[in-house]
Amino acid sequence: MKRILSSFPIFLIIIVVLYLSSCTPQQEILKNVEVVDGDTVKVYGQSYRLIGIDTPEIHSGDKPAGEYGIDAKNYLIWFANNFNLTYEQKGTDNYGRKLVYLFGVDGTKKYLYEASVTEMGYARPLIYSDTSVPNYTKQIVDAYKRAYENRKGIFSKYETAPVVAKQNISNSYIGKIVWLEMDVSNVRYSNYTYYIESDFALVKVRYEEYKYLFEGYNLYGLKGRKVRFYGELWTDTSTNKYMIMLRAPFEIKIDN
């Protein structure tokens, strides 16, 4: 484990996250932290879901693990071993987990884990209005843009990820980072989600990510175009189509 932890020099945290002076977090120092994955920890059996982000799955029943899930978990292990951990709670979920923003304390300064892991390219924004704190959300969004600009983590494959289309797609790509190519037949908005559709695949954009990252990008203009979408490939349980959850406009390339 020492080899893993030493591979993340402390300057990466310091350059990623601003000093946090607003919304004073819970002052309780978390001890005996068990890292479950990149966005979940347990303390004495109590689960804490780290909010504002989503990291790749490392265990998901019969589904394969997502790429960079182990990297995200190892990064949280490193963070927990190099800082005292405090948190700011924003409620609980239906599973009884505390919904929290997690902070690493170094002397008089506090660093936001969710922004730090996102800048490493091991997490994507997952924003909910009822738990969003503007300062923290901005840090996470800005970190995601820098991960893309610096080709970190999930974006390290931006130029080399396989292009999958109707003629060559298969379940072997599930959980993998790909460019999904499709002829967009329709774009619609329902239940706070944009649906970009084709006959075999579906791309979703949640309203909260659209609001904070897309800056008015005209998703409806994709209708009738051949488009590539970048991200983890999964299947949509309601339609049985292949599916990508999109987070930002730089994950879109229009072919024609």
Side-chain angles (χ1 to χ4, degrees):
M1 184 61 69
K2 288 183 179 179
R3 182 183 64 83
I4 293 174
L5 300 182
S6 63
S7 64
F8 299 112
I10 197 167
F11 76 89
L12 288 175
I13 294 292
I14 296 174
I15 64 173
V16 168
V17 190
L18 300 176
Y19 175 68
L20 303 173
S21 58
S22 63
C23 300
T24 303
Q26 187 87 13
Q27 293 305 302
E28 174 188 353
I29 300 295
L30 295 178
K31 300 290 188 181
N32 298 306
V33 174
E34 174 192 350
V35 174
V36 178
D37 55 28
D39 56 30
T40 311
V41 299
K42 287 185 177 181
V43 180
Y44 297 114
Q46 172 65 57
S47 291
Y48 294 71
R49 174 61 165 91
L50 313 184
I51 53 179
I53 61 169
D54 185 35
T55 61
E57 297 288 345
I58 60 172
H59 54 83
S60 37
D62 295 331
K63 296 194 302 182
E67 290 192 69
Y68 295 98
I70 296 299
D71 300 88
K73 179 178 180 178
N74 286 339
Y75 189 72
L76 182 48
I77 292 171
W78 176 86
F79 193 91
N81 278 274
N82 281 271
F83 295 94
N84 289 320
L85 301 182
T86 65
Y87 65 93
E88 181 176 326
Q89 186 173 351
K90 294 297 177 182
T92 58
D93 66 10
N94 293 332
Y95 303 101
R97 299 180 299 181
K98 293 185 177 182
L99 302 175
V100 304
Y101 291 99
L102 186 69
F103 303 90
V105 179
D106 178 23
T108 60
K109 295 185 177 181
K110 301 178 181 72
Y111 303 98
L112 178 61
Y113 167 77
E114 285 89 338
S116 182
V117 70
T118 302
E119 177 127 1
M120 292 297 294
Y122 300 147
R124 296 175 170 89
L126 183 62
I127 303 162
Y128 288 92
S129 59
D130 57 346
T131 59
S132 175
V133 175
N135 182 25
Y136 307 158
T137 297
K138 184 179 188 305
Q139 290 185 56
I140 294 166
V141 166
D142 290 346
Y144 195 60
K145 293 175 181 178
R146 289 193 295 270
Y148 161 70
E149 291 165 357
N150 296 319
R151 299 298 191 266
K152 302 287 287 185
I154 57 178
F155 292 110
S156 65
K157 296 188 173 184
Y158 194 78
E159 279 77 31
T160 60
V163 177
V164 297
K166 185 175 182 179
Q167 63 270 22
N168 70 331
I169 200 166
S170 72
N171 288 345
S172 64
Y173 289 108
I174 297 297
K176 304 297 184 183
I177 295 172
V178 302
W179 282 103
L180 173 63
E181 182 179 89
M182 64 190 208
D183 296 310
V184 178
S185 59
N186 191 35
V187 180
R188 60 185 178 87
Y189 182 76
S190 177
N191 295 323
Y192 300 100
T193 303
Y194 290 94
Y195 295 85
I196 305 168
E197 300 172 319
S198 76
D199 59 341
F200 76 99
L202 172 68
V203 172
K204 297 181 182 180
V205 183
R206 296 177 62 253
Y207 171 74
E208 295 293 351
E209 280 80 70
Y210 181 85
K211 174 182 175 181
Y212 284 97
L213 285 140
F214 278 79
E215 299 177 343
Y217 187 102
N218 181 19
L219 293 173
Y220 294 103
L222 300 176
K223 183 177 179 180
R225 312 290 292 273
K226 182 181 292 292
V227 186
R228 295 182 182 183
F229 303 94
Y230 187 76
E232 282 182 339
L233 187 72
W234 297 102
T235 53
D236 179 63
T237 55
S238 63
T239 63
N240 289 322
K241 290 183 176 182
Y242 292 101
M243 185 268 293
I244 280 179
M245 290 291 297
L246 214 65
R247 312 290 175 152
F250 44 76
E251 298 166 342
I252 300 173
K253 286 185 178 180
I254 299 175
D255 289 344
N256 62 46

